[in-house]
Amino acid sequence: MTTIEKIAALRQEMRANGLSAYVVPGNDPHASEYMASHWCEMQWLSGFNGEAGTVVVTPDRALLWTDSRYYLQAGIELKDSGIELMRESDVDCPSVVDWLAENTRGLVGVNPEMFSVNDYKEWSEKIELKSMDLIKPLWTDGRPAIPQDKLYPYSADFAGETVESKLARMRNKLVALHGNAMIISALDEIAWLLNIRGNDVEYNPVVISYVVLEPDKCTLFVDSSKIDSPAQNYLDFNNIDIKPYESVFDYISSLSGTVLYDGARVNEALYEAIPADCKKINTKSPILIDKAKKNAVELEGERIAMRQDAAALTRFFKWLEEEAFKSPQTEWTLMEKLHEFRLMGENFVEESFGTIAGYLGNGAIVHYAATKEHCAEVKPEGMLLLDSGGQYLDGTTDITRTIWLGGRIPQQAKLDYTYVLKGHIALQTARFPRGTRGNQLDALAKQYMWEAGITYGHGTGHGVGHFLGCHEGPQNVRTDNNPTALEVGHIISDEPGIYRTGKWGIRTENLITVIPAKQTKATTTEDEWLSFETLTLCFYDTSLIEMSLMTEEEIDWLNAYHVRVYKEVAPLLNADEAKYLARKCAAIEL
Amino acid sequence: MTTIEKIAALRQEMRANGLSAYVVPGNDPHASEYMASHWCEMQWLSGFNGEAGTVVVTPDRALLWTDSRYYLQAGIELKDSGIELMRESDVDCPSVVDWLAENTRGLVGVNPEMFSVNDYKEWSEKIELKSMDLIKPLWTDGRPAIPQDKLYPYSADFAGETVESKLARMRNKLVALHGNAMIISALDEIAWLLNIRGNDVEYNPVVISYVVLEPDKCTLFVDSSKIDSPAQNYLDFNNIDIKPYESVFDYISSLSGTVLYDGARVNEALYEAIPADCKKINTKSPILIDKAKKNAVELEGERIAMRQDAAALTRFFKWLEEEAFKSPQTEWTLMEKLHEFRLMGENFVEESFGTIAGYLGNGAIVHYAATKEHCAEVKPEGMLLLDSGGQYLDGTTDITRTIWLGGRIPQQAKLDYTYVLKGHIALQTARFPRGTRGNQLDALAKQYMWEAGITYGHGTGHGVGHFLGCHEGPQNVRTDNNPTALEVGHIISDEPGIYRTGKWGIRTENLITVIPAKQTKATTTEDEWLSFETLTLCFYDTSLIEMSLMTEEEIDWLNAYHVRVYKEVAPLLNADEAKYLARKCAAIEL
């Protein structure tokens, strides 16, 4: 079926059910960002392959909301689909629900498994929702099954804490809130809590499952086909009961007393299964909060993973400079080559997201995804943006470097690169009092480009998991308000960018972790001070720096960073590679 | 009665009424920041004279919540009162209502006139409130009456818009929301809407009154003693009905249809007067939003007021440097002298707030208020912080300068002064995309002192009214989130500070207004860009600058500012004064 045919079929179902609109959000039942393809209903219906979007279909219109990262991509992929693009990052763009309230009358159909409790409640205050799944009967041909990969235990040697300890900690919180049960549906929370990992979702080593935690038991709802004998032993040993995935609804409907759930992450269908006479407490997931604060073992693992990742990148950049262009290259062949180098790394499992190799103007398409079939040829000239990361048993990496492949560098390219670099340095060298939220620091990364009248639409920093989601909450650095204060052990990315449509994209990204700041003599208050440790270990392309914009402090920082990169990464390289790295890490001077 | 006796008497009333606690917030019925002394119940009960605080009395404890501006002052003034200080800016300090929920059982008494609808509702979700006024029967001796000063028309030549136009604009919004009436209780909103001013509240040229706006009429609830014949003619001419102040409750109880109110500003007693069968819509006051965006006439008035104010300050600083110490001086005598110089200014009405003259360690007491009886002697040595402002018919000013009176300058004082100055310059020279909120810019003013491990507890910038409240919303620059984006015409202060207990306080403050930014060639997006115009016109003490910390750009900005100050202010000065100003505005060099 074409997109136009799918939408026509959906409209027929809508008419049969008396709906004035049907909404297909880009969600799964676990509030995942990356989803098993089984749940990619939004992409299936619209033909738009971005990672975020919501489709609304009414009798005479079809619309897709997505954010500024995907404007260009959606513009291309929605062509001839009859679907209008709603640019949701724009100030004057109505939210999906406000648009529905304004433009429709009557029932709006949604699948309650695809809505968080909070979103469902918020929407219900403005429009009349009707719970029904109209996609299931339509998407019969070729719909991927729910993955059936194996679950495996994740050693406390990597996790830094036993399941027993984590369960005891969470049960204490459950009891403190007088709760009889806590529903956990986010896959990364389940993986963290039970020290398990899996292969169900691309780039995310999670297991499709639910957990209900009670003071005296812990039940994992997961298909039995995923549990082999070692996994069974591990779960038995830790007193974790196993029940079928789909039986979670029945189980929840048999609960009594007080039930805790995080309305931002638990889906409406689970919520509706809670018996009416239970007391329901909507509380921010304590697992989410604790998971974000990495322990010493997790952080040490991150440092190990960063060295492996840096070795792979160094080998890749050396190959790109010295070998690659002896034969034709495309964005796709570069992605494949980088993957090969990462595969050489100890404990490498898979990429942590789809590599973005954006050559020239493709670099300006934020979250551009080249495919083998659709990718640009890369020549030894102009700008290349490379955003990639790895899942290692030791930890998760995410790094962006933008490099100049050859030819004369336009002055504007140097200016852009340097504004980005200055902001990137300003954020990771910031010192700030305890209690500071990420959005308070956002302008530090933007101030230099703002001065030149330039900004970007994506976040400056996202939280990063430990051998889990490359994006995780609750912390981040964005313009939007987020009440979460940065805390010791949080990992965030630091990735400002400048994008010139048709010309180039420049983004520079390190992962950084919050640490207690060194004391200074000047301190006037009793505030505790925090700062960042840079985790990522990869050189910057110094040929793109406009030195006249750099301060002495910035140059000192960059030189010291390059000294550290060489010291930590060279031991993993052979002599030739180390020599290459030494050259890339050479000190720069005003 | 002593504080201890007042609290004992209050406890007797609490017992008689079966209350487990009674709360006296530092509020009046109009959600004012500065209140007529008639309503200073919190100060009367506690003996604490700060401008913000809440007293809670239980059978065995009495507590006062206040913010970090007042910690030092409250510590002194609450001594021997038996009242415990709750430091509400501290991360671990419970809110008043959370403390009550945790520490009391049963009814909590409050006067509903002293609570906004929103606060009352929020508290009701956590504790059981009982509406009753227990202070009225206790505070009989010497309670000041509600002020009876005259109301006067404020010319559209100053306001830049007629009453007719403003009423039409607000009625359009009322009708657009299908409202039959809008309750307006904030005194600055009433003054702005009706182009009236008065003398009822110190530092705030407002008239104690309420307004109910309907599609076909506008009723001002104000005591008739305040209306003389010209005022009567003015109100008649503009079809504004007059009714007694207290009759607002009866009037509201006779309304029908849909009633609009701003739950953040309208008090609970007014809300309870709305008939049960009315539809009630809680909406952000459209007057608040429009009032904040100054029109061209208001901004031109601000510029005129700034020149007058700068002339007064120049004369004051010249006197302080050349004449003052021929006789003994105190913080109080300096405040009086500054007032004398301001009185010479054209269209000067009164101060816009109580001048803060903080000598040496007193400067570290944020919002310190010297009195004639309690003030420090000032000698020609050490640091003086001077925060003051004027109400002119043309506009409102608010300025802080910190100067060195003589003696050797400690190196730390220069560093502190320079961190503050660099942050102060960074904020007012910022360029940012439309949609940016003040709290996104807060770190720009703090980044340099943060680097040294220093911060401050007060806001960086507050909104400022036009010949109205020196503090006004909805815009500000603070760490706290505020959803209001900065818009063209907003006026805010820019006032970072560093405070060293017992040594000195340093704060540097200008008023700045949001303007469209000049276009640059580098712009990559279609964002509209905004920047600030500096309104305040007064030199900085350059002797306190640690030049090695200053960038070339900062020095250029400062020199250009001093050129502008001289050019705009010198024409108001005599030759001697102009010569003094030229010396203070001399260019500095690295």
Side-chain angles (χ1 to χ4, degrees), chain B residues 247-304:
Chain B
S247 72
V248 68
F249 295 98
D250 282 348
Y251 191 87
I252 288 175
S253 68
S254 72
L255 292 173
S256 61
T258 297
V259 179
L260 272 52
Y261 66 97
D262 183 339
R265 295 159 82 79
V266 165
N267 74 55
E268 173 70 16
L270 292 170
Y271 175 79
E272 288 175 5
I274 305 173
D277 58 355
C278 281
K279 185 173 174 188
K280 297 159 198 163
I281 299 183
N282 187 344
T283 183
K284 189 162 196 167
S285 168
I287 300 172
L288 179 76
I289 293 165
D290 280 20
K291 175 168 63 66
K293 291 181 268 189
K294 274 66 181 174
N295 61 41
V297 173
E298 290 174 315
L299 285 172
E300 196 45 40
E302 286 291 338
R303 294 186 194 100
I304 293 167

Side-chain angles (χ1 to χ4, degrees), chain A residues 431 437 450 452 479 520 522, chain B residues 431 437 450 452 479 500 520 522:
Chain A
R431 174 195 290 267
R437 306 178 311 280
W450 276 3
T479 57
T520 75
Chain B
R431 173 195 292 265
R437 308 177 310 280
W450 276 3
T479 57
R500 295 198 182 267
T520 75

Side-chain angles (χ1 to χ4, degrees), chain A residues 112-153:
Chain A
E113 288 190 36
M114 302 304 192
F115 275 75
S116 73
V117 178
N118 291 357
D119 285 348
Y120 196 94
K121 189 179 169 202
E122 195 192 316
W123 284 35
S124 295
E125 285 165 10
K126 297 187 176 177
I127 57 177
E128 204 175 343
L129 292 177
K130 175 142 182 168
S131 293
M132 50 171 56
D133 183 356
L134 294 191
I135 298 299
K136 200 172 184 177
L138 286 184
W139 191 6
T140 47
D141 268 16
R143 180 168 192 163
I146 295 178
Q148 297 297 326
D149 285 280
K150 297 293 181 233
L151 166 168
Y152 59 93

Side-chain angles (χ1 to χ4, degrees), chain A residues 431-433 437 439-441 443-444 447 450-455 479 481 499-500 520 522-525 527 529, chain B residues 431-433 437 439-441 443-444 447 450-455 479 481 499-500 520 522-525 527 529:
Chain A
R431 174 195 290 267
F432 48 93
R437 306 178 311 280
N439 76 318
Q440 292 178 251
L441 302 183
L444 298 183
Q447 56 187 328
W450 276 3
E451 217 172 304
I454 310 170
T455 195
T479 57
N481 188 46
Y499 307 93
R500 296 197 182 268
T520 75
T523 300
T524 53
T525 66
D527 289 294
W529 288 85
Chain B
R431 173 195 292 265
F432 48 93
R437 308 177 310 280
N439 76 318
Q440 291 179 252
L441 302 182
L444 297 183
Q447 56 186 329
W450 276 3
E451 216 172 307
I454 310 171
T455 194
T479 57
N481 187 47
Y499 307 94
R500 295 198 182 267
T520 75
T523 299
T524 53
T525 66
D527 289 295
W529 289 84

